[in-house]
Structures are given as C-alpha cells and as structure tokens.
Amino acid sequence: MVYDISPYAGKILFEERSSTFRLYGRNSLYAFRADEGGNLEHLYWGKSIPPQDDLRYLSFSNVQLSFDPGPLTYFEDITAIQDLVSEQLDHENLLREWDNARKQNVATCMFGEASGVINDVEEVAGTLQSSSVLDEEAVARARRENAAWRLMKMQELKTSRAEGEEELREIDDSDGEPNIQEVPAPNYPIKSPHLGPMASFTSPHLGPLHPSLAKAGAFGEGFLPLNAYPPAEEFGLGPQATEDMIPPVRSRRGSLTGHDDVEWEGTLPQVGRNTKLLEFADLGTGDYRPPSFCVVYEDGSTICPLTYKGHEIHRGKLPMKFAKGKLPELRGGEEDCNSLVVQMEDRLTGLEFDLVYTVYKDLDAITRRVIVHNPKEKKSNGNSNKPRTPTRLDKLMSATVDFHTMSGLNLITLSGSWANERHQRVQSLVQGRFVSESLRGTSSHQHNPFCAITTTPEELFETHGDVWAFSLVYSGNFIMEAEVTETGRTRINAGINPSTFKWHLPPGDSFESPECVLVYSDSGLEGMSHTFHALYKKYQIPQRWANTVPPILLNTWEAMYFDVNHSKVLELAKVAATCGVEMIVLDDGWFGEREDATSSLGDWDEDRRKFPDGLSALVQDINALGLKFGIWVEPEMVNVKSKLYRKYPTWCLNQHGRNSRCEGRNQLVLDFTREEVCQYVISKLNALLSASNIEYLKWDMNRHLTEVYGNAIMPEKQGEVFHRYMVGVYKVLAFLNDKFPHVRIETCSGGGGRFDAGMLHYCPQIWASDNTDVFSRMAIQHGTSLAYPISSIGSHITAVPNHQTQRLSTLKTRFLVALFGTFGLELDLRRLSPVDLNELSQYTAKYKELAPTVLHGKFYRLWAPSRLSDRHAYAWMCTCENEQEDIAAVVAVFLTKTEPGRYLPRLRLRGLDLASNYVVEEIFPNTSMRNRNTGQLEMTGGMPQWQLGKQSIVMSGAALMNVGVPVRLSYDGDSSAFVLHRHRNPVPASN
C-alpha cells in the first residue's frame, strides 16, 4: 500500500500522547519529542512516514555505556518538612499537621477560593494557568501538606502489612503443609504512591491527579505539580484538514503533555543526555559532545540544563523579533510554510531559550534559529520579584542535529583559497571532531558556511542516496562542526564561531542567532541543490529580481585597472554597444586621488582630474549610447592616505594606544560597529546613487579583519565586535535596498570571499572569484552550485592569456563557462579584431536567448572529474520546466585534460520527460579535427564538425537519458554545447 503524505506538507503536528513534534516538508519529516525528563530528544530526519507511526520506539537505540552519566534528576530542599521526618510523629499528630497545612493552603487560595475545595483537575489547571509562579512559602506549605499525608498513609501501610504478616505466621505454625490456594489475599489497599519515573501523584483533597500532571510533577519543583496542566488540545492537523484550520496556537506553559502512555513510557530507556540524540545540548550536565550553547552566569557558573516549558505554532514564517532588520532572514507567507517555537528554560536561573523552526510546504527545507531571553526579573509571586543578573553567551549555535550511527559517513564541504574558492571536498567521518570555520570577519575564501553528510559513496552521491545539508544564513565568522562519538553517532553544529563571540545579556535583554537552513534529499546532491536553489530564489533573494535576466555588463577593471577617465571609458563603451553589451561598469580608480591601491579609499567623490564634468556627465554619455551604467565601491575600507583617515583616524578597527597593526592591500577596516561610521557610508552612497542614473553597484571588500577592537564599545563587550561589525554591514545594505530598489547590487570580497546565503538577502548575485580562468572557474562554479543558484554566480568572459593564470582558452569555451552564471565581459574590446568582435556578438545574442533557461531552470551536474576516474571533464545542464517555452534544456560539456586515444563516455542527460521528443541542436560546433595520417589536430577552415553528424536531430527523452549523446572533444579546454527544443510534432515511425 502506498501512503499519501502530501496533505501534511508544510504542516506541524504535535502529538500529545507522546509529546512528539512532526515537521513535514514536501517529502520529508523532521521529528523530535519532549521526553519524560524535559529534554528535546531528536527522533528522525528523513523521508516522510505516516503520522500514525509512534517514533518513540527509536529511543530503544539509546543504550547507556559504562561511563555515561545517568539521567538528570531533581532533589528537594526538605527544610519545610524536616520536623515531620525527624520527630517520628504518630498517626494522630501527622493527621493534625496535614490538616493545618491544608487549611493554610485553602485560606491563601492556593488552588481555589477559601470557601470550598476544588475536586476536579480541570479546575486546578485553570487556576494554575491564571496564576503566577508560586512563592517559596507557598511551595513550602504545599510540600508540608503532601509530606504529612504521605507519612500518615505510610504508617497505615506498615500497620496493614504487619497485620497481614501475623495472619501468614498463624498459617505457617499449623500442622502439615499449608494449602497455598486457601491463603487469603492481603486485606489492605495499596495506598503508598509509586515513586518511580511514572509516579502517580495523589492529593487528599483532589483525588488522583491526571497522569500528565503527575508526569510534570515528577521532574518539577516539589511534590505537587506546581506548573502543570492537563493535556491541551491537539495542535496537529490530519489529512482532512484545510488551510483555514491551522490555528495560531500556543501550548500551556509548563505542559509536558501525553506521558500517560504507561505501556510505552514505563519501558523507554531512562538514560542520560550523553546517551540521547538531542535537539539542543547544554554543557556540563552529562553530554560530552560539542554543546549547542555555553553561558556564564554572574557567579561564574556555566551549568545551564534546559527543560521543555511549552510551545507555540504559527501560520507562515515567524519573522525575527530581536534581530529584525539586523540579520538576513528567509521569507514565507501563510500559504508557504508554518513555524514552531519551542520554549526551554533553566529552571534555577530563569534564562529562557526559544528554538524557532519553519518548515516549507513545497520544499524539503527547514530553517532554525535560537532566541535567548534574560528576563528582567524572575517572578516569585504576584507581589514580589527577584532581580535578575547579567549573563554572558559564549556560544550559541543556530542548529544542532544528532544522527544515529551510520556506516560509511562522508562529509562534504566547500573550501579553497583566494582565486580558488569553494571546491567540493569529500572526506570520511571517523571518530573525532571536524571543523570548517572562518575567523576572518567574513565567510571567507577558505571555507564556506555549508556542509552536508551522506552515506553514499562519492562516485554515486550526485544522484543517489540520502543527503542532509546545512547552510548558515550569515556572512561573518562561522563554524560548522561535526563530531563522531565512540558509539558512531554524529552531531552537527552550525552557527556563529564561538572563538570570537562573547555576548553580554543584561536583565531584560535578548539575543537572536542567525538562521540555518536544513535540507534533506533522497536523490543525492542533485536533489539537495535543487532545493537550495529553489529556496533561495523564492524566499531569500530580493523578490524584485525574481525571473529577471541581468544586463550583459562590461567591467572596466581588466581593461584599464586604475587608469580610467571620461574619454577612455566612453571609447570602450562605444565598442561595447556594437557587440551586444547592455551596461558599462566603472570599476576602481574613479574617486579621490586614486592612482593605485595606496590611496583614497573612503573618499567617495569623483576625481575631477579624470572626470572634469563629474560622473553624471559620463553617465549621461553612456546612457546616450543605449547602455546602462554601474559603479564599483569598497565602503568597508579606508586608506591611511585619504581625507577620511586624516579626519577620523579612530574610525578604524584597532585598539587605541597600540602602535602596531596589519595593513592588507594597503588599507584598514572601518569600524562598522560605530553608528557614525555606518551613517557616513550611507550618506556617501546615498549621494553617489542619487546624483546619477546608476543602476548597478558592485560592493567590494578586499581584506580581512585584524586587530579587531571596538574603541566605542565597553571592554567587557569586546567579544561582540565581530558580530556587531557584520550587523553594521547588513544595515547599510538594507538601506540601499530600501532607498534604491532599482539598483542591482553585486557583492564581492576579493572575489568569492563572502559568497553566502546572508549576502543573497540583499544582492541577487555575488562575484564568484577573482580568478576568471576557465579551467579554474569550472571547479569553482561547480562547487558553488552545490548550495547557491546559478543566477547568483557572477561569471565573466576575460582576456587571454588569463590575467591570473596565463593560460589560454578559446573564446567559445570562455563564453560557455560564463553562460552558467550572470554573464558579463571583463576585457578590452578595443584590442579585439573584427573577427573576434563578430564572434563575441554571436555569443552575447545567444546568451540573451538562453539566459531564462539557464538562470531560472533546474541545474544538473552531469559530469565532474571526481566521478570520472579516467576522464577530466565537466558537463552542465539546465532545464526549463515551463512546457510553453520552446527551449527545454541547455547543455555544455568541457574537457579539462586530454588523454589522446581515449573516448569520452556518452553523455546521459537528466531532467527530461521520457515520453517527449526533443530537437537536439548543437550550437557553435567545433571546426577542428585530427588528421588520421599524421595525428595532427588541424583546423578545417570553418567547416563544422558536428557531434551528431548534423546540426540537429530529433530524439526521445528516453533515448537521451538512458542512452546518451556522443561527445568528441580533442584538446584541453575543448567544449561543445547543445540546445534542446520541444518537438511539437510527433516523430514519424521508422520503416
């Protein structure tokens, strides 16, 4: 029987019987539960399963080892009942003590009005729900009443047992063997409560409490469940539910509902935190794996065990509250997703943690983040409050996920260096800890805030197997850590790097972490990438850029470097206008007295020596050619040789009083934690963009952070500087988006040094790398595509020999590599021959035709050298899912290293309709072939050498995907490309 889980997609189900939360994506399920100890126990993340399956059976995987601490238990202060225990009071005195305590409780309306006794649990719950937390005296009276009752009943129990034993002794003393079946059953009731994990608490004036109340009391304060409620309404939605049935519900505070299923709860392993799979892990209470958070209280304590307190379910994406406008976050309407807030607290200190989840309906994606509250005061009763003390956060992960033991676990990361960013790296995870991180103030060239794990071998995991992936929506210092324990279990943490983070939380303050995106795929990395691409295009990149094609731009950098002026730029623009270019971008060298990299950063006014009539005059002349205009800035930096530095030397990140510092690329970093710095940058960019018709802004950042000290920040808050710096950068980017929505922003950081999901919130595209060599770019763009959409990858055609590597490549191959990105030019067109300009014009025209499919379709990595052990080749493909469009797919294949005499495999396509027919058209065919007599590779004088024997053929999707396409490439950097058109007429049957 095939079960249909589609009605649950995007829903959040809370099952009261087992206190289990289920978050359903399109085809996936993420599940965890509030266990009997108040922990959040992770149960499952993977392919969807029916909601009726009770996932608590997975807890039987928790087998406590010899040195694992046991479960966290609570012990009580017995001062209030010391005299009852020590004086060995008789039954009559215990009855008197109980009665006095009971009357005091009633008189103070602890559970109801003084005039009567409440006899039903619902009334108790209602009273508790409306009251504040009881003060210490009330707790003491409750304990005394309960203890007196229990001691009294224990005496009755002992008396009854003694009477029964006397009766048995009389039988034993009789002649002969006793008739066992005639021995009477004990004639006393079982009155003593069982004090084990499933305690059934009893109150003399209430009768037996509801089991869920008893369960809450089992790990709560005191003998009575002071903060417990009977089961709330079920928050889940069944298959018959409609969208308007989703309530914005809130659980009742302190409720640990559902632990009345004795058949299950009585048999589940009672183990410590180190033995459990957890959703969020503290430090110091028995879990020795990397914690999700670390706090330091004012008394120096770092112990902070969290207990489930309650939860809320909201329609749509719950927006950030405390970091709203400060951090980037994904979008989502009520029809797209739903959100869950799980409330946790340290019961001793009152420190509160909100774990925020959002699950999307049309994707297998979840976002997670954490909010920490330090309440202004801890309420003890309705009349008095206890003042709170400051707390320091030393670590706060946005997401923690624990995985049960898996064989052959591989970790996939994106790492590299400047001009060599985001290469796909794969390594086996064995016992120990692996960390991918940045300490540079940006997400960095060296590592990327992305990782994934899979059990599928590298040669298969592109299209097969389960993949669990994490992408942090943050552009500063981050950490992705994976630890495999001695049991084979794995923990993944993702969040702000704790090495450079210490955040002070005064009473009444809160801190909200960046978001982390969690993606599950059961179809390998390909399915994972499709989810990330769709998610970021629909819910992260500014909506106004959705389904748009960026203009073909020509950047002046590699054509002129710093040597720019009005006449040179205009001369270049005139040539560009003849070969399909749509925008001129004026790069470095236009401002201050900028002749090289040693001066003028921070002085964002045009150099009148180079532009005597101002930038506005140049922009007008460019626009008159039918071209748009863009400009380059580096707002986060300053040169010592600048007007800004001379006026405000204290605006840099550096500790006053030190006479040593590092300069990178002859520049210093402005202190974006200072409001005056942010306002200065905002004012200069506002003036720049307001003065002229500028429609594109390239925001660069060409050095990393050193000597990170905020001179305007108190000494005890210096651990906040890195994060506050990033918040300042986001603030300026947010201003630009709000004030100039027509300006397309492309960020850059020495190339691809800040390519992350945080930047995509403000910018539809990011410069992938300063290295534009096609051989290098294939690996860079291949790795980048694992998590980030093709439409976000800045990629240009540049000159040869390449300025970074001095390698040669054909203009065709440079075009095809740049095609799988935002596409632009970065070369001096004035130096190209008429033949080259004509060829380039053909490529720009073809880009405009193919761009909608490439940028907005589904991307497939058909080939990669890591999966072709005997061949060095890449093959990429994009498909258009709109059946009304003529173009169904675009395919390109590149050879990076030739092995003469060996054939390439047939290229099997993906993502097509098996039953449909396609016209396979080769574009820009090769014009070289090998002389069979001499072995020489010869040009044919322009005669095309068609890969398929002719320019186009008609083939079925079944043939193209199951059999493939012949590919013949001859030299390093050789390439071929195909466009698949939908064949509207049926293919005639062959004779």
Side-chain angles (χ1 to χ4, degrees), residues 193-209:
H194 173 56
L195 300 180
M198 285 305 299
S200 177
F201 286 79
T202 304
S203 177
H205 59 274
L206 292 178
L209 290 179

Side-chain angles (χ1 to χ4, degrees), residues 212-226:
S212 66
L213 286 174
K215 194 61 183 176
F219 62 86
E221 295 187 34
F223 292 103
L224 288 177
L226 300 179

Side-chain angles (χ1 to χ4, degrees), residues 744-807:
R744 180 182 289 265
I745 303 174
E746 177 174 316
T747 58
C748 172
S749 179
R754 200 158 60 184
F755 204 122
D756 53 69
M759 281 294 149
L760 290 181
H761 183 76
Y762 309 97
C763 318
Q765 58 201 63
I766 304 172
W767 186 231
S769 178
D770 279 346
N771 188 346
T772 54
D773 171 65
V774 293
F775 296 93
S776 300
R777 271 302 186 114
M778 291 176 202
I780 293 170
Q781 293 178 207
H782 176 96
T784 304
S785 72
L786 260 66
Y788 307 107
I790 299 301
S791 62
S792 70
I793 300 175
S795 186
H796 293 172
I797 296 175
T798 57
V800 292
N802 181 266
H803 287 204
Q804 290 77 43
T805 67
Q806 289 298 302
R807 281 193 288 226

Side-chain angles (χ1 to χ4, degrees), residues 556-557 561-565 586-596 601 604 606-607 609-611 632:
T556 63
W557 179 241
Y561 290 105
F562 297 100
D563 187 21
V564 295
N565 60 42
L586 177 60
D587 208 279
D588 203 348
W590 62 268
F591 53 92
E593 298 176 354
R594 184 81 160 173
E595 300 293 346
D596 53 33
L601 286 177
W604 300 111
E606 64 263 53
D607 185 346
R609 299 171 305 164
K610 299 179 180 181
F611 304 97
W632 175 97

Side-chain angles (χ1 to χ4, degrees), residues 101-115:
R102 181 185 62 83
K103 290 176 180 178
Q104 287 180 337
N105 287 334
V106 172
T108 56
C109 302
M110 183 175 179
F111 293 112
E113 299 298 329
S115 59

Side-chain angles (χ1 to χ4, degrees), residues 87-103:
E87 294 179 10
Q88 299 294 318
L89 299 180
D90 59 19
H91 187 279
E92 182 177 350
N93 284 322
L94 286 171
L95 179 62
R96 184 181 304 110
E97 291 292 339
W98 166 76
D99 190 53
N100 289 337
R102 181 185 62 83
K103 290 176 180 178

Side-chain angles (χ1 to χ4, degrees), residues 188-479:
Y188 55 87
I190 302 297
K191 297 180 181 178
S192 177
H194 173 56
L195 300 180
M198 285 305 299
S200 177
F201 286 79
T202 304
S203 177
H205 59 274
L206 292 178
L209 290 179
H210 189 281
S212 66
L213 286 174
K215 194 61 183 176
F219 62 86
E221 295 187 34
F223 292 103
L224 288 177
L226 300 179
N227 282 323
Y229 303 94
E233 65 275 17
E234 183 175 345
F235 298 126
L237 296 171
Q240 296 79 24
T242 58
E243 289 296 326
D244 58 352
M245 293 170 62
I246 305 177
V249 296
R250 175 176 297 184
S251 74
R252 294 165 176 164
R253 277 189 64 172
S255 175
L256 255 190
T257 64
H259 293 292
D260 55 343
D261 190 348
V262 179
E263 179 182 357
W264 270 103
E265 293 294 337
T267 59
L268 292 177
Q270 303 298 308
V271 296
R273 293 179 173 180
N274 201 59
T275 315
K276 287 181 175 287
L277 301 175
L278 298 175
E279 278 294 292
F280 207 65
D282 67 292
L283 175 68
T285 61
D287 187 351
Y288 298 115
R289 295 163 292 185
S292 307
F293 70 97
C294 297
V295 302
V296 180
Y297 289 114
E298 192 175 44
D299 62 0
S301 170
T302 60
I303 301 171
C304 184
L306 298 184
T307 304
Y308 170 78
K309 180 181 176 184
H311 67 269
E312 302 172 4
I313 296 176
H314 299 262
R315 294 170 64 104
K317 177 74 161 54
L318 188 66
M320 284 185 167
K321 182 177 181 181
F322 300 98
K324 186 173 180 61
K326 298 179 180 180
L327 291 179
E329 58 178 316
L330 275 71
R331 301 179 297 272
E334 293 185 0
E335 69 284 357
D336 303 316
C337 55
N338 288 295
S339 299
L340 167 69
V341 181
V342 179
Q343 300 149 344
M344 309 283 285
E345 71 172 347
D346 180 347
R347 293 193 163 194
L348 176 64
T349 65
L351 194 66
E352 299 171 346
F353 288 71
D354 289 348
L355 276 57
V356 184
Y357 301 74
T358 296
V359 59
Y360 286 85
K361 179 179 180 180
D362 55 345
L363 298 164
D364 289 314
I366 293 171
T367 65
R368 287 184 61 177
R369 68 180 189 270
V370 180
I371 306 171
V372 185
H373 308 277
N374 189 10
K376 191 170 186 180
E377 49 194 20
K378 184 179 180 182
K379 293 184 178 180
S380 57
N381 59 31
N383 301 316
S384 63
N385 298 302
K386 294 183 177 181
R388 294 283 301 133
T389 58
T391 301
R392 192 181 77 216
L393 278 173
D394 282 4
K395 179 178 184 178
L396 184 64
M397 296 292 97
S398 299
T400 292
V401 180
D402 285 349
F403 296 87
H404 189 56
T405 304
M406 295 184 284
S407 299
L409 192 61
N410 289 317
L411 177 69
I412 303 163
T413 56
L414 298 175
S415 60
S417 62
W418 172 79
N420 200 35
E421 301 92 336
R422 289 176 306 287
H423 283 236
Q424 177 181 305
R425 308 294 189 193
V426 183
Q427 53 197 315
S428 298
L429 281 180
V430 295
Q431 184 176 345
R433 185 165 173 257
F434 177 87
V435 172
S436 175
E437 65 178 353
S438 173
L439 296 170
R440 296 169 176 263
T442 69
S443 49
S444 85
H445 307 84
Q446 288 70 23
H447 301 284
N448 192 264
F450 159 87
C451 73
I453 61 172
T454 181
T455 57
T456 308
E458 184 174 0
E459 60 270 18
L460 297 175
F461 64 38
E462 177 65 29
T463 56
H464 294 81
D466 295 324
V467 174
W468 299 268
F470 302 78
S471 176
L472 189 66
V473 185
Y474 190 61
S475 309
N477 291 348
F478 74 91
I479 189 170

